[in-house]
Amino acid sequence: MNGDLFTLLAPELIVIGGAVLALLLGLGASPGARSAPRALALLSVFAAFLVTWYYGPSPAKPLELAGMRFDSLAYYIRLIALSVGALVLLVHWHLPHPAERGDVFAMILFSLAGIMLTSLANDLVLLFLTIELVSIPTYILVSIGRSDIRAQEAGLKYFFLGTLSAALLVYGFSFLYGAAGTTNLSRMQLSPAGGFVTIGLLLAFAGVAFKIAAAPFHVYAADVYQGAAAPVTGLLGFFPKVAGFVALIKLLFLMQPSDLLTAGWNMPGAAFVFLWVVAAATMTLGNVLGLMQTNVKRMLAYSSIAHSGYMLVALLAGPVASGGPLRDGLSAMLFYIVVYGIMNLGAFAVLALIQARGRPAEELDDLAGLGRREPLAALALAICVFSLMGLPPTAGFFAKVYVFSAAISNGAAGWHGLSLIVLAVIGLINSAIAAGYYLRIVATCYLREPVAEPIAEPRTAGIRLGLLGCCIAILVIGVWPGGLLYMSRLPFYDLSAPPAVATHSNAQSPEPAETTEQVYAKEMNS
Amino acid sequence: MLFLQEWILTLLIVLPLVGAVAVAIAGAGGRPLVPRSGENHDEPRGPRLGQMALAFSLATGVLTILAVALFFTATSETGQNLARAGGFALVQDLTWVADSETARRQIDFRYHLGVDGLSIWLVALTAFITPLSIWASFSGIRHRQREYYALMLLLEASVIGVFCARDLLLFYIFFEFTLIPLFFIIGIWGGPQKWAAAGKFFLYTFAGSMLTFAGVLYLAWQAARQGGVFTFDIDTLYRLQLTEREQFWLFLAFTAGFAIKVPLFPFHTWLPLAHTEAPTAGSVLLAGLLLKLGTYGFLRFNLPMLPAATQELAPLVAVLAIIGIIYGALVAWVQDDFKRLVAYSSVSHLGFCMLGMFALNQAGLTGSVLYMINHGLSTGALFLVIGMIYERYHTRQFDKLGGLARRMPWMAFFLVFFVLSSIALPGLNGFISEFLVLLGTFTSRNPLDGWPAGPLGAPYGVIAAVGIILSAVYMLAMVQRLLFGQLKEPEHTPDTSGGLRPDLTRREITILTPIALACLILGVYPKPVIDSIQPAAQQQVLAWVYAGDTDAAFAGAIAPRDAGAPARSAGPGAKEGGEDKDRLSRSTVGFSQSGFATCFSRWGEDQSPGFFPFSDFSRIPDSAVPEVTHR
């Protein structure tokens, strides 16, 4: 991988090219042309995945070029976005009306490209633009092809609040620019003591909180999830969240001393308190409100809010050099977000499957007796919901192990470390609360008698394939978490190396492993 | 042979799993995956699925017999018999998740199985009870049999996994996983309030175990801080040095999960509903096996890992246990539903189990473990008998039934037998364990020479002993109301559909007989069981509980348990020469083959045992005094 921008950006270009072609083909008159977009979309995602895989993680010294930074974080985010993206495409396979197929698949691809570019962005302006590139297609996806008044309301609400959050984000960025005098993230090196920095960060966090549906910016989530079609909702639980969390990581790294990742984040006290309160409130509100729902989609919307809270816990614990993966909140968060994306998508895929078979899948009652009616769909839903609950042997369990282990073992001196343990305990109590409504979903499927039969059996192979992919991923990661764990650790090593700009020449940056070792040795000696 | 020694525990877990999958697949054959309404889900495919599940669980039982045999013949490298030495045998230790990114390994999740004298009997109990409950379900479970039998086998696999796990994370995974099959078993095949029962059971237990989970993660972090590796390996965790404050909080965290499972007094409210509403086999497994997960958790984790907190909080736990004994018995007494009565009796009995454990001496601990097994047998059997009555009369109300001894003499025989076992009639299994528990409680504060003083004492024993009387009162009252007096049956009963007869069928008698025999054998000749529990209780629990005590009685050299054991090198305590007051210096203790076992071993071998072999506890030979050495 060398410095040619077009070569480096090949995965993104493939995805965007696929999107543009899908848009054009969707306009075609013949049925053949109209069904082409989805195959094309899937193909371009596969191609982009292969290219990214071929490039591999970045070398010890990440390349910086044109406001972008080609590091292992980008590598990891690209890979997971493309793999989950493929599942998202499969789940959308039968949903849109043939006339809208081009639009829908193009929007998914644009949003996907947005995530990949967000992970590359190394400039405030580009970061803002790429986050919007993720968001704007989702506004369209929520309301496209839905004549339902609720879908229209959802789309409108989502759009207006999204715009507001974008405004907050850009306002915050302007403060950060004011404090640093540059928009290049590698050169910013902010000091957490500055008032400008604190205001800028808080505003930017507020903007991001909307993307990840964190309290108090979560209010739209339930309405939007309820209004949107089930597959789109599955997408909403992943795409904007990834973009939001990547942005948060990038912002938090602005204040890290270049060579040091030993003791978590170096952020202003106010920002820590803000994120702590947001995390605790997000988990608690999400789960308590989730308990009160009778609509499955709203329930899962609140669960999505709560899971953002868990991810914030891990993010707040931050990267800690010594102690390995179980102490590293950053990789725990990166691990969690994939697992969450897959299990959430799987749950919505089941709802989409039921709808495709001609039954409603809105209220809890609609799921009654699913275990008898459609045993395999019910089994898939049970796997996804047990994973959301965090029961072994699913991926959700290990995601929980990593997240809460990072918070508990942070061990920062004074109130910092203790407050993280308290946060972890709040999170675990929340998992117990959440079990209340997750269990209702499973119980409705298996313990109640069926009320209705599927009335239509249209082609649902795509959804079923996507669902199968989700379930296999959940179980495989649940039994063998090592692979994903290793992948999610890559960004940590990369980010803990000095940025390329700072050490301009190709001088050896210390081996990451060595850094860890040294820090560890230091700790043991002290 | 070596291969088998290493893999047999895995086989014990995998075989029921394979059975579950096989039953699920076999049941799916021949009917569409999406059944139409009105289709008959009941027979005739049913019995064959049941037989298939029975075959798998029986095969697991046979393997378990082999495992027990292997356990008793296993020897350590030095040629010592591991069962007699109280060590772990049949160990399998594989790396499950480890990072290879650096030269230094930083996480280490292990697939580590093994059994010692404490767990082998619980594994055996599981493998013994499960086939019988599957067999007992043949007449009761008439719909959705495929799921039912698959879930039963799944439950068996996970319970065996819990008892074999030697890695805390693995333990926790199995521990949590048991919730899933049992939730469905109660929720689908339970009584009228099954949804409430299943949900309450699941949520209570899950909420508690979330706090335990926090404790688990904290322990792993301490392992990483002190040893450099994030590990959940139980042996490593035993050697951690924890401050008293840490121990206190960890004790609370672990107790949150285990106390709900046991259930200890204020946390018992889920139990009556779940036990009553569950189908017969569900109640049997719940009472017989699942409750033991809680007591086993206390035994395996709270006591050895958190000795300071254990000694400090033991009186509190004991008081809760005693409240549970008395309260459970009183509430059982006033029930008008006899399944509920037996459910409350579990609250009372498990109180004894906890009391003996927290006496923190050999008699109490041995009695406690034996109590787990005996309670599993007798209460499990009681639930079976009650289920058999329920299948015929479809009621569990005392006021609708009476004088059944005339109608069902065989049932009457078994009910009386198991009631007597449950109220600890001498000669039956319950007596031995209850006696040992109380003996341990009474002698806890005033131990024999050379033993450290435990936290409990005579007052605890006196109050708990009231529970024995109460248990006789409510149990015998149940027998009297159900079996004797005027014959009273609801109309149109007994229900003899599905191959039943008014009295027990041959199948039902065959199910109950092995349990009755086991009760009898354990009551008359408990020596082999006690002989293996006792050294394990010594080595695996008491040695750790009192490792920090350097009192006069225990002073002397404490020899390292095994030379190959990793010394606890890293950590603040080590540097300060073990004199650190803050962090308990936890060395390992080597006890000799001693004490209690000797008493039992003598029975039937040599001199006249006196009135009762173990009543003569003061006459302990010199060799019985623990060889205490200080490192």
Side-chain angles (χ1 to χ4, degrees):
Chain A
M1 146 167 165
N2 43 36
D4 179 8
L5 194 56
F6 278 94
T7 323
L8 287 173
L9 281 180
E12 286 75 15
L13 291 176
I14 292 171
V15 172
I16 292 178
V20 173
L21 265 178
L23 262 185
L24 289 176
L25 280 172
L27 295 174
S30 73
R34 280 181 178 184
S35 64
R38 50 190 189 187
L40 185 74
L42 201 57
L43 213 62
S44 61
V45 165
F46 272 125
F49 185 89
L50 287 180
V51 172
T52 315
W53 187 263
Y54 173 73
Y55 284 172
S58 80
K61 189 181 75 67
L63 209 65
E64 291 193 11
L65 198 63
M68 283 180 262
R69 184 182 150 106
F70 295 87
D71 55 11
S72 295
L73 178 67
Y75 171 69
Y76 178 74
I77 297 288
R78 278 162 148 186
L79 281 189
I80 62 162
L82 288 167
S83 0
V84 180
L87 294 175
V88 167
L89 289 175
L90 284 174
V91 173
H92 278 79
W93 206 253
H94 306 285
L95 167 85
H97 189 269
E100 284 158 352
R101 222 172 249 158
D103 305 341
V104 167
F105 284 93
M107 288 307 139
I108 298 174
L109 289 186
F110 277 130
S111 197
L112 197 57
I115 298 177
M116 297 161 74
L117 287 168
T118 309
S119 69
L120 292 169
N122 197 33
D123 189 287
L124 279 182
V125 178
L126 189 61
L127 186 61
F128 174 74
L129 288 176
T130 51
I131 291 176
E132 287 311 296
L133 180 56
V134 177
S135 302
I136 292 172
T138 58
Y139 305 148
I140 300 168
L141 281 170
V142 167
S143 43
I144 197 169
R146 308 262 291 171
S147 49
D148 188 0
I149 184 86
R150 270 191 314 204
Q152 302 300 329
E153 184 200 328
L156 209 62
K157 210 174 211 172
Y158 196 35
F159 174 68
F160 280 136
L161 287 172
T163 320
L164 178 68
S165 85
L168 282 175
L169 196 63
V170 83
Y171 192 35
F173 281 1
S174 69
F175 275 98
L176 293 179
Y177 170 65
T182 172
T183 55
N184 186 307
L185 297 182
S186 302
R187 297 210 186 87
M188 280 178 89
Q189 290 300 340
L190 299 174
S191 146
F196 253 49
V197 176
T198 309
I199 296 174
L201 275 181
L202 290 185
L203 283 170
F205 286 170
V208 171
F210 173 86
K211 305 287 176 207
I212 61 175
F217 304 95
H218 65 282
V219 282
Y220 72 93
D223 292 338
V224 172
Y225 274 48
Q226 190 185 4
V232 176
T233 324
L235 174 152
L236 287 183
F238 184 67
F239 283 17
K241 270 195 209 284
V242 177
F245 275 105
V246 169
L248 271 181
I249 294 174
K250 292 197 176 245
L251 288 176
L252 287 171
F253 260 103
L254 291 181
M255 289 154 303
Q256 289 305 105
S258 57
D259 59 336
L260 198 65
L261 272 173
T262 45
W265 299 113
N266 183 27
M267 68 173 104
F272 183 86
V273 173
F274 178 80
L275 283 181
W276 195 98
V277 173
V278 165
T282 306
M283 294 186 288
T284 312
L285 274 179
N287 285 325
V288 171
L289 292 175
L291 270 183
M292 302 173 182
Q293 307 303 318
T294 55
N295 180 302
V296 186
K297 280 162 104 181
R298 288 185 84 87
M299 227 178 238
L300 290 173
Y302 283 109
S303 116
S304 156
I305 295 168
H307 281 274
S308 283
Y310 303 149
M311 283 182 254
L312 278 174
V313 173
L315 189 70
L316 203 54
V320 181
S322 67
L326 279 182
R327 242 187 124 188
D328 175 9
L330 179 64
S331 60
M333 194 226 90
L334 292 173
F335 185 95
Y336 202 101
I337 200 162
V338 192
V339 171
Y340 174 71
I342 294 172
M343 57 203 186
N344 186 54
L345 181 68
F348 280 108
V350 174
L351 300 187
L353 185 66
I354 299 168
Q355 280 174 339
R357 293 230 167 112
R359 302 286 346 160
E362 292 281 329
E363 294 297 315
L364 208 49
D365 292 342
D366 297 334
L367 296 180
L370 193 69
R372 303 285 291 277
R373 233 161 68 198
E374 294 175 50
L376 290 180
L379 183 67
L381 186 60
I383 290 175
C384 293
V385 169
F386 279 134
S387 182
L388 284 166
M389 206 188 284
L391 275 182
T394 60
F397 173 72
F398 274 103
K400 218 158 69 177
V401 169
Y402 294 134
V403 162
F404 292 118
S405 166
I408 285 178
S409 63
N410 182 274
W415 61 276
H416 227 73
L418 193 63
S419 67
L420 281 171
I421 294 185
V422 172
L423 195 60
V425 172
I426 294 177
L428 287 167
I429 292 172
N430 262 296
S431 311
I433 300 174
Y437 59 88
Y438 290 136
L439 201 61
R440 282 225 307 268
I441 299 179
V442 181
T444 315
C445 290
Y446 280 97
L447 309 193
R448 286 176 50 182
E449 291 302 308
V451 287
E453 296 299 319
I455 49 180
E457 288 224 27
R459 292 204 193 129
T460 52
I463 302 181
R464 278 186 290 168
L465 196 62
L467 190 52
L468 185 70
C470 291
C471 291
I472 289 177
I474 288 172
L475 293 178
V476 166
I477 298 173
V479 174
W480 187 65
L484 184 61
L485 182 68
Y486 172 72
M487 297 285 291
S488 69
R489 281 284 278 173
L490 291 175
F492 169 80
Y493 284 124
D494 198 49
L495 290 168
S496 58
V501 174
T503 56
H504 226 302
S505 65
N506 270 0
Q508 302 281 315
S509 58
E511 281 292 306
E514 216 175 298
T515 318
T516 318
E517 285 289 284
Q518 284 164 354
V519 172
Y520 203 85
K522 228 182 286 169
E523 192 182 71
M524 297 312 297
N525 290 334
S526 65
Chain B
M1 205 61 175
L2 274 175
F3 172 83
L4 201 57
Q5 275 193 349
E6 195 183 336
W7 284 89
I8 189 153
L9 294 181
T10 303
L11 277 177
L12 283 182
I13 297 170
V14 169
L15 192 62
L17 274 184
V18 171
V21 174
V23 168
I25 291 173
R31 78 162 188 233
L33 283 176
V34 183
R36 304 277 162 248
S37 70
E39 186 184 332
N40 188 11
H41 295 279
D42 305 350
E43 321 305 320
R45 228 170 272 108
R48 257 182 284 145
L49 288 181
Q51 280 154 10
M52 200 168 152
L54 181 63
F56 271 102
S57 59
L58 278 178
T60 313
V62 171
L63 262 186
T64 309
I65 295 173
L66 184 62
V68 173
L70 284 174
F71 171 75
F72 278 100
T73 53
T75 51
S76 66
E77 282 138 27
T78 53
Q80 201 181 13
N81 184 305
L82 282 167
R84 292 206 162 268
F88 274 88
L90 313 183
V91 174
Q92 182 171 38
D93 192 1
L94 304 171
T95 299
W96 176 24
V97 180
D99 50 348
S100 51
E101 57 197 26
T102 56
R104 178 200 283 272
R105 178 179 278 183
Q106 289 177 319
I107 56 168
D108 191 16
F109 302 167
R110 309 203 67 80
Y111 178 77
H112 188 176
L113 302 177
V115 283
D116 65 353
L118 305 176
S119 49
I120 184 75
W121 296 110
L122 292 168
V123 173
L125 179 71
T126 310
F128 179 61
I129 293 284
T130 313
L132 297 178
S133 3
I134 287 178
W135 203 3
S137 311
F138 278 14
S139 53
I141 301 300
R142 300 189 187 179
H143 72 298
R144 299 175 77 175
Q145 293 175 334
R146 172 168 73 112
E147 291 107 311
Y148 179 82
Y149 290 113
L151 288 169
M152 288 291 277
L153 289 170
L154 218 52
L155 188 61
E156 179 177 24
S158 48
V159 172
I160 291 179
V162 169
F163 292 136
C164 294
R166 293 292 295 143
D167 182 283
L168 184 50
L169 194 69
L170 198 62
F171 169 88
Y172 187 82
I173 285 173
F174 284 124
F175 185 81
E176 286 280 85
F177 187 76
T178 54
L179 294 181
I180 298 176
L182 206 59
F183 169 75
F184 288 119
I185 288 176
I186 299 176
I188 299 179
W189 295 276
Q193 284 174 279
K194 57 191 179 185
W195 299 345
K200 205 168 175 183
F201 158 75
F202 189 103
L203 294 179
Y204 264 60
T205 329
F206 189 74
S209 60
M210 279 295 103
L211 295 175
T212 306
F213 188 52
V216 169
L217 293 178
Y218 189 85
L219 271 177
W221 177 47
Q222 288 304 318
R225 251 173 74 168
Q226 296 178 21
V229 187
F230 256 99
T231 180
F232 295 88
D233 187 59
I234 291 175
D235 286 331
T236 315
L237 296 182
Y238 279 0
R239 291 181 168 77
L240 291 182
Q241 303 182 339
L242 302 166
T243 63
E244 294 203 23
R245 199 167 132 229
E246 283 170 333
Q247 290 200 23
F248 175 78
W249 286 105
L250 284 171
F251 191 91
L252 290 192
F254 276 87
T255 303
F258 298 145
I260 290 176
K261 203 90 174 178
V262 169
L264 212 53
F265 162 65
F267 310 109
H268 66 282
T269 47
W270 62 270
L271 180 137
L273 192 61
H275 276 57
T276 314
E277 296 303 318
T280 300
S283 310
V284 174
L285 295 189
L286 195 54
L289 307 175
L290 271 292
L291 301 190
K292 276 63 188 187
L293 302 191
T295 46
Y296 181 76
F298 272 109
L299 191 68
R300 195 56 96 199
F301 302 110
N302 283 36
L303 267 60
M305 267 180 209
L306 314 166
T310 300
Q311 293 184 44
E312 195 183 317
L313 293 174
L316 177 71
V317 177
V319 165
L320 291 181
I322 290 176
I323 296 178
I325 293 173
I326 305 289
Y327 171 86
L330 290 176
V331 177
W333 195 0
V334 297
Q335 294 306 312
D336 48 11
D337 173 331
F338 48 82
K339 198 169 179 188
R340 235 180 150 76
L341 184 149
V342 178
Y344 271 108
S345 84
S346 283
V347 177
S348 181
H349 286 162
L350 268 292
F352 277 108
C353 193
M354 292 300 290
L355 184 70
M357 194 185 299
F358 277 84
L360 298 181
N361 55 22
Q362 214 175 40
L365 268 177
T366 310
S368 177
V369 176
L370 202 57
Y371 210 114
M372 292 185 210
I373 299 159
N374 290 338
H375 177 262
L377 291 174
S378 53
T379 306
L382 278 177
F383 274 119
L384 281 174
V385 175
I386 282 170
M388 290 164 188
I389 301 176
Y390 182 76
E391 272 175 35
R392 287 165 175 80
Y393 293 104
H394 305 293
T395 179
R396 297 184 304 243
Q397 300 296 317
F398 276 123
D399 51 8
K400 293 197 180 133
L401 291 172
L404 292 182
R406 291 152 201 263
R407 179 75 83 181
M408 309 171 72
W410 274 104
M411 186 281 288
F413 166 74
F414 281 112
L415 186 64
V416 171
F417 184 90
F418 292 123
V419 159
L420 292 179
S421 149
S422 181
I423 62 178
L425 185 82
L428 291 179
N429 58 347
F431 176 70
I432 315 278
S433 45
E434 209 153 274
F435 181 86
L436 288 180
V437 162
L438 288 173
L439 180 69
T441 312
F442 272 103
T443 57
S444 180
R445 181 134 312 192
N446 303 305
L448 301 157
D449 285 345
W451 287 87
L456 307 184
Y460 294 89
V462 169
I463 306 177
V466 175
I468 300 181
I469 302 169
L470 285 176
S471 97
V473 170
Y474 64 80
M475 279 292 186
L476 293 177
M478 175 178 85
V479 168
Q480 188 254 323
R481 287 160 82 180
L482 263 184
L483 297 185
F484 304 115
Q486 199 96 55
L487 178 65
K488 194 159 59 173
E489 293 174 325
E491 278 182 44
H492 311 300
T493 55
D495 177 2
T496 50
S497 66
L500 293 177
R501 317 191 290 119
D503 199 3
L504 299 190
T505 61
R506 205 170 287 157
R507 174 180 62 91
E508 288 165 331
I509 293 171
T510 324
I511 292 168
L512 293 175
T513 310
I515 309 184
L517 281 178
C519 288
L520 198 62
I521 292 171
L522 276 178
V524 177
Y525 190 62
K527 179 172 165 301
V529 178
I530 289 181
D531 271 357
S532 57
I533 293 176
Q534 191 261 349
Q538 183 97 293
Q539 285 294 348
Q540 304 300 335
V541 184
L542 284 177
W544 295 104
V545 172
Y546 292 116
D549 277 20
T550 44
D551 293 350
F554 242 46
I558 296 178
R561 198 164 49 141
D562 48 336
R568 51 172 81 198
S569 51
K575 265 178 290 166
E576 281 144 314
E579 292 300 309
D580 193 346
K581 286 281 175 212
D582 194 27
R583 293 195 172 257
L584 288 168
S585 103
R586 308 255 314 265
S587 353
T588 47
V589 184
F591 285 99
S592 70
Q593 260 303 301
S594 59
F596 210 60
T598 326
C599 290
F600 279 96
S601 309
R602 298 196 158 197
W603 184 21
E605 280 173 14
D606 47 9
Q607 70 264 85
S608 62
F611 162 63
F612 219 77
F614 40 80
S615 63
D616 192 20
F617 202 67
S618 57
R619 258 196 306 133
I620 287 188
D622 291 342
S623 67
V625 178
E627 286 168 14
V628 186
T629 45
H630 195 37
R631 184 166 62 163

